Amino acid sequence: MKSLQSKTRDGTEIEIIISDNAIKSGFSIGKPTDLEMIVTDKNNEQYQADVFLKSGWTHKELQEIITRTVLSCDVKVKRIQATIKGLVSIN
């Protein structure tokens, strides 16, 4: 497992994890993959969002998905953990 962590200007913690399954299956940007996002709000409530990234996705599109997920929350997001799972399902 590999992990990248950062913080936004407003203090939201963002962690992107590449799972062992993704690494074993030869993960690379643009390859179809499942993405699981766990969002923790300021009240420590957690929510899960699952997304299938189709072939050809880019780093910028991943950033947009994470940003839209944070912006769609009714309560301030404290933390988001996005895990690239590898190819788990085919949609």
Side-chain angles (χ1 to χ4, degrees):
M1 178 172 72
K2 294 184 180 182
S3 174
L4 304 165
Q5 296 180 341
S6 65
K7 237 180 205 186
T8 64
R9 282 179 266 163
D10 69 349
T12 303
E13 297 173 30
I14 298 174
E15 181 178 21
I16 299 174
I17 298 169
I18 303 172
S19 72
D20 290 335
N21 182 57
I23 293 168
K24 287 177 190 172
S25 66
F27 166 77
S28 65
I29 291 177
K31 250 181 135 173
T33 189
D34 284 313
L35 175 69
E36 175 187 83
M37 292 181 285
I38 305 293
V39 177
T40 305
D41 68 19
K42 68 177 186 172
N43 301 319
N44 288 323
E45 298 284 332
Q46 289 191 330
Y47 308 91
Q48 181 174 330
D50 296 312
V51 178
F52 178 74
L53 301 175
K54 294 183 179 180
S55 184
W57 64 274
T58 65
H59 182 265
K60 183 178 179 182
E61 290 170 324
L62 177 62
Q63 287 177 318
E64 287 175 13
I65 290 167
I66 292 170
T67 300
R68 286 182 186 176
T69 301
V70 169
L71 292 175
S72 70
C73 293
D74 292 334
V75 180
K76 171 143 175 46
V77 173
K78 181 168 83 173
R79 183 171 197 269
I80 186 164
Q81 182 182 45
T83 303
I84 296 170
K85 308 285 270 179
L87 193 56
V88 177
S89 67
I90 298 178
N91 297 334

